[in-house]
Amino acid sequence: MKDRETMNIAVFASHGGSDLQAIMDACRDGRIDARVSVVISNNRDAKALERARNAGIDACHISLRNYQTQEKHDESVLEILTRHHIDIIFLAGYLKKLGTAVLSRFENRIFNIHPSLLPKFGGLGMYGLRVHEAVLAAGERVTGITVHRVNEAYDEGGIIAQTCVEVLPADTPETLAARVLEREHSFIVEVLRDIIAV
Ligand code: GRF
């Protein structure tokens, strides 16, 4: 996407940020040739923001609740992205939708990671343990992870990469979630490295 200059990534995250941590670690030690320039969260208490601060990365809390309109909120998001010269946006556990202004400005440059083999077990309300509960309820023997482009619908943008994770007979939603998340930490680095190399 860019010649020689290091790419700037914005990561959006709502909670724990373990995927964010995997991205930051890989950027820091050179496995990903890019830098996380800013982390944005709708949740002021997100551990993701703390992880960013600990890494010396700008951490921004931006919530729609603090704006009169979605447009004003989007203006603030775009101002931050512009200030940091952001090239790509990665949604790593971000539970809000991006506004149309952000979607159009960064068309084809916004990616999301989802803990299932989309189009299975995606869409509105399919996040956290609910995904893994649904996988077990459906009797799936294999689940996985999807990285896809982001558009205006939840979990529906074009799929970039997927990997499988085995479902074990004794799995609970919690054990399955933990196994999928652990695999996410290496998969997110593999896929982001490829995205950046294009
Ligand atoms: C991950 O399972 C990711 O697939 C989903 O949200 C979760 C984020 O986990 N979109 P964490 O906050 O990075 O630990």
Side-chain angles (χ1 to χ4, degrees):
M1 291 184 185
K2 239 185 186 182
D3 236 13
R4 274 181 228 139
E5 271 177 67
T6 306
M7 280 226 208
N8 293 308
I9 306 174
V11 179
F12 285 60
S14 296
H15 292 290
S18 67
D19 282 342
L20 162 70
Q21 189 71 53
I23 296 171
M24 291 190 304
D25 291 349
C27 287
R28 201 191 43 222
D29 68 23
R31 281 174 292 141
I32 295 177
D33 184 18
R35 78 168 70 84
V36 178
S37 304
V38 64
V39 173
I40 295 178
S41 183
N42 59 301
N43 170 13
R44 76 167 69 248
D45 299 321
K47 192 167 176 211
L49 290 177
E50 190 185 321
R51 290 179 190 269
R53 284 185 212 108
N54 289 342
I57 291 167
D58 195 11
C60 300
H61 167 238
I62 297 230
S63 169
L64 188 53
R65 288 186 200 165
N66 300 328
Y67 293 87
Q68 282 173 341
T69 62
Q70 175 81 46
E71 287 70 27
K72 295 269 178 215
H73 167 273
D74 295 354
E75 270 173 32
S76 286
V77 172
L78 280 175
E79 188 275 319
I80 292 169
L81 299 175
T82 305
R83 176 153 42 90
H84 285 280
H85 305 286
I86 293 304
D87 297 295
I88 65 173
I89 296 174
F90 206 99
L91 308 185
Y94 187 62
L95 298 182
K96 298 288 176 188
K97 274 189 176 177
L98 293 177
T100 48
V102 180
L103 289 172
S104 61
R105 175 85 69 86
F106 285 86
E107 197 179 359
N108 287 325
R109 294 186 291 149
I110 310 176
F111 306 90
N112 180 49
I113 185 161
H114 183 82
S116 77
L117 293 173
L118 291 175
K120 284 184 168 181
F121 311 109
L124 184 63
M126 270 296 178
Y127 60 86
L129 277 185
R130 292 183 193 181
V131 177
H132 308 291
E133 282 163 1
V135 167
L136 292 176
E140 300 285 322
R141 311 270 294 266
V142 173
T143 184
I145 302 159
T146 302
V147 175
H148 64 95
R149 288 187 205 278
V150 172
N151 60 18
E152 32 324 292
Y154 279 115
D155 301 327
E156 283 186 17
I159 291 172
I160 305 266
Q162 293 185 304
T163 192
C164 293
V165 175
E166 193 183 359
V167 178
L168 301 178
D171 264 332
T172 63
E174 289 79 8
T175 60
L176 185 55
R179 188 169 336 102
V180 171
L181 188 59
E182 192 186 347
R183 176 67 181 110
E184 280 185 45
H185 299 154
S186 52
F187 190 59
I188 205 168
V189 173
E190 292 162 25
V191 177
L192 201 41
R193 204 172 41 207
D194 288 349
I195 288 171
I196 278 157
V198 170

